[in-house]
């Protein structure tokens, strides 16, 4: 098959990152793939060129360097400091006259799969294949722009970081020359330079490609996706798998001091295979670290909660209960490893030599969890952490809804199926949403000790052993790593859920503690009331609050809750601030669902108010 023609643009400073992009493509090459890289060269040194050519150790390829010092670029109308990629994209037809079909990629990209499918895409007569930009100024005005007056409401605003180009048609129609001319006439109305001009000129001559070919990840990507989730559901599903081409958009990159997007690990893993594996991330001055730390503490969410609290409490109380308080103190310790490019603070190791207990637990110890299609890539790693626990369970059961996987095992990736010989049991059931992690196991294993886990958490090796030891000291209580203490107002009404303090250290058994499923919860046999299976009740009164429903069933049965001694305070989430998580969706709905349960079961109120943690 003909070689893939791929173009990058870089100056001397960006060569290590462009080299990582090239290495990621070569690492995922298939048999028979041939590559010809065109480097649009802005004064790259001879030493850097030799390092780029040394990547042939991964997979053979051809490489050509083309100078950007041509009259068309030197006389361009672009103003101020414009990145070299801006010049290079609009100069491709001139710089590469012998190429008819080309993949252009920005240097801040990483491929996580083979590009064969992308290269063989039929453009259906269009000049270029592109992917929509998450910062669409027409439908989603994330940034100030005058483009809406040039683009229609139904026009797609695409990201120019990755383009599959039909250069024959582009030269014939002088597409890029028209883009240069448009920009010269509308300099003040196009803040994104050539990308804006290409969107206006080519709006009727583009083919929309799947989102996987330009997965735009950002330090605060979760908030962005949540704002456009309804319109771009496919984008969100792609972001969960991260299979395709990852594009690190925005001013913060994974080689910077503070980069918090989960996709940053792909860049670090790829760089370890390149001549730049020992490149260090410079530590900025203290003033800059403090500013970045403030951002890391989720300023937007903190301001919103603070405003809400100021309506009811004094400023001092609001600051004390705001999410900044504890997180600010732990900033240095919490982010140091990720910031400096060192291994994650929870070392993920695929489960190969670990497994389950052959016996010895009485009653049997069962770990139960569930997931859905978009989170399959995440649950694989969670299962690995469960398989390498120091305290071995008798079984690990992953419940999957039949309606979400119509073809059952045929829809599951080989990585997940490979965990079955290690001890993971796949079971099929009806779709009970978040309740699936416990209710089917309660029916199937009524005499077992059940431990629930979330599907997007790395659980440390001592996680299950701490719960087990807590159970041995108090076999009649429910045990957990995290809980909230239920508080009441003077008038007898419960305080808002957001005001319930988090408990992450050992406590006495109490009815006033709400165990949180994210940290894991251990349920001894027969500690839940029989009404726990009443689907007609929980679907009506607590459809999205499984933690509250299970707490109500514990309290009805007279079972207390205890935070385990030595509980793990910090858990590593694979998708921090995931907009699809129950916490993000329910943080202002839990109050309603809690009051529903109090009205449904009046005896709960008296038991909780009389109990002390």
């Amino acid at each position: 098959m003909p070689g893939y023609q791929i173009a990058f643009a870089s100056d001397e400073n960006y060569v290590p990152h462009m080299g990582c992009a090239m290495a990621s493509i070569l690492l995922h090459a298939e048999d028979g793939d041939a590559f010809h890289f065109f480097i649009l060269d802005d004064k790259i040194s001879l030493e850097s060129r030799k390092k780029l050519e040394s990547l042939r150790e991964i997979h053979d390829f051809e490489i050509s360097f083309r100078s950007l010092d041509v009259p068309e670029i030197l006389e361009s109308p672009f103003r101020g400091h414009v990145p070299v990629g801006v010049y290079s994209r609009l100069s491709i037809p001139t710089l590469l006259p012998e190429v008819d079909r080309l993949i252009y990629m920005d240097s801040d990209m990483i491929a996580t799969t083979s590009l064969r499918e992308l290269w063989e895409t039929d453009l259906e007569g269009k000049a270029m294949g592109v992917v929509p930009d998450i910062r669409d100024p027409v439908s989603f005005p994330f940034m100030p722009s005058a483009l809406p007056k040039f683009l229609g409401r139904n026009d797609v605003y695409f990201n120019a970081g990755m383009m599959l180009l039909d250069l024959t048609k582009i030269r014939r129609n002088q597409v890029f020359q028209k883009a240069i001319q448009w920009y010269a006439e509308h300099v003040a109305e196009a803040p994104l330079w050539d990308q804006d001009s290409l969107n206006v000129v080519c709006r009727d001559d583009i083919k929309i490609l799947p989102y996987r070919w330009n997965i735009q990840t950002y330090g605060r990507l979760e908030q962005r996706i949540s704002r456009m989730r309804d319109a771009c559901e496919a984008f969100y599903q792609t972001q969960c798998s991260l299979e395709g081409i990852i594009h690190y958009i925005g001013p913060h990159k994974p080689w910077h001091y503070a980069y918090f997007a989960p996709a940053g690990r792909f860049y670090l893993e790829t760089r370890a295979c390149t001549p730049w594996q020992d490149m260090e991330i410079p530590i900025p001055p203290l003033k800059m670290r403090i500013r970045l730390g403030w951002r890391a503490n989720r300023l937007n969410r903190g301001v919103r909660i603070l405003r809400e609290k100021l309506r009811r409490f004094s400023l001092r109380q609001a600051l004390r209960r705001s999410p900044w308080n504890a997180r600010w103190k732990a900033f240095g310790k919490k982010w140091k490893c990720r910031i400096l490019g060192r291994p994650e603070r929870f070392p993920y190791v695929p489960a190969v030599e670990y497994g389950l207990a052959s016996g010895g637990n009485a009653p049997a110890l069962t770990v139960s969890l569930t997931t859905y299609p978009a989170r399959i890539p995440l649950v694989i790693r969670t299962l690995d952490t469960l398989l390498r626990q120091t305290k071995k369970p008798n079984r690990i059961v992953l419940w999957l809804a039949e309606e979400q996987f119509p073809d059952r095992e045929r829809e599951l990736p080989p990585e997940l199926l490979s965990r079955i010989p290690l001890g993971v049991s796949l079971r099929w059931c009806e779709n009970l949403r978040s309740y699936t992690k416990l209710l089917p196991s309660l029916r199937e294993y009524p005499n077992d000790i059940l431990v629930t886990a979330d599907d997007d958490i790395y659980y440390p090796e001592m996680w299950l052993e701490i719960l087990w030891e807590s159970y041995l000291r108090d076999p009649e209580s429910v045990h957990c790593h995290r809980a909230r203490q239920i508080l009441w107002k003077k008038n007898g009404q419960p305080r808002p859920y957001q005001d319930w303090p988090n408990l992450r250290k050992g406590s006495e058994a109490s009815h006033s503690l709400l165990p949180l499923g994210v940290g894991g919860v251990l349920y001894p046999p027969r500690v839940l009331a029989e009404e726990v299976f009443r689907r007609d009740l929980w679907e009506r009164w607590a459809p999205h609050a499984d933690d509250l429903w299970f707490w109500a069933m514990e309290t009805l049965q007279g079972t207390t809750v205890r935070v385990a001694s030595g509980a793990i305070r910090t858990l590593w989430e694979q998708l921090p601030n995931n907009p699809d998580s129950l916490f993000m969706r329910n943080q202002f709905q839990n109050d309603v669902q809690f009051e529903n349960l109090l009205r449904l079961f009046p005896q709960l109120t008296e038991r909780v108010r009389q109990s002390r943690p």
Side-chain angles (χ1 to χ4, degrees), residues 91-164:
S91 304
I92 286 175
T94 303
L95 295 171
L96 308 176
E98 74 277 20
V99 180
D100 295 328
R101 185 180 179 89
L102 180 79
I103 297 175
Y104 173 83
M105 293 174 58
D106 279 352
S107 298
D108 56 353
M109 288 184 156
I110 290 292
T112 60
T113 188
S114 170
L115 299 187
R116 177 173 293 184
E117 181 182 341
L118 172 62
W119 178 256
E120 296 177 349
T121 300
D122 183 8
L123 292 180
E124 302 174 357
K126 302 296 184 179
M128 60 179 69
V130 292
V131 173
D133 196 308
I134 67 170
R135 301 166 296 184
D136 182 355
V138 179
S139 303
F140 306 97
F142 291 123
M143 61 180 63
S145 175
L147 285 187
K149 71 179 182 181
F150 299 103
L151 298 175
R153 183 71 183 179
N154 295 325
D155 290 331
V156 175
Y157 183 84
F158 63 83
N159 183 281
M162 192 294 300
M163 298 183 291
L164 178 60

Side-chain angles (χ1 to χ4, degrees), residues 269-282:
E269 292 171 358
T270 304
R271 196 177 69 185
C273 304
T274 70
W276 300 276
Q277 57 184 335
D278 297 328
M279 184 177 68
E280 295 184 358
I281 298 177

Side-chain angles (χ1 to χ4, degrees), residues 391-410:
K391 173 62 181 179
K392 302 300 183 185
N394 294 89
R395 63 177 68 88
I396 298 175
V397 184
L398 176 61
W399 294 96
L400 301 176
E402 293 180 338
E403 68 178 60
Q404 294 177 332
F405 301 88
D407 294 332
R408 293 202 172 191
E409 284 83 356
R410 290 189 295 273

Side-chain angles (χ1 to χ4, degrees), residues 368 399 438-448 450 523-524 526 528 532-533 550:
S368 178
W399 294 96
L438 180 60
L439 292 184
S441 292
L442 280 175
R443 292 193 180 97
E444 189 73 15
Y445 312 107
N447 298 320
D448 286 9
L450 300 179
Y523 298 92
R526 294 172 293 279
L528 300 176
V532 68
F533 298 108
F550 295 139

Side-chain angles (χ1 to χ4, degrees), residues 404-436:
Q404 294 177 332
F405 301 88
D407 294 332
R408 293 202 172 191
E409 284 83 356
R410 290 189 295 273
E411 293 190 38
L412 302 178
E415 292 83 358
L416 178 57
L417 298 178
S418 66
R419 271 58 179 180
I420 295 179
L422 299 176
V424 176
S425 301
L426 293 181
R427 302 295 300 273
W428 302 94
C429 63
E430 59 181 331
N431 186 10
L432 304 177
R433 299 190 297 278
S434 60
Y435 288 82
T436 312

Side-chain angles (χ1 to χ4, degrees), residues 378-393:
L378 306 182
V379 78
I380 295 173
R381 291 197 161 203
T382 297
L383 290 172
D384 284 345
T385 64
L386 296 177
L387 285 165
R388 56 194 299 268
Q389 294 293 308
T390 55
K391 173 62 181 179
K392 302 300 183 185

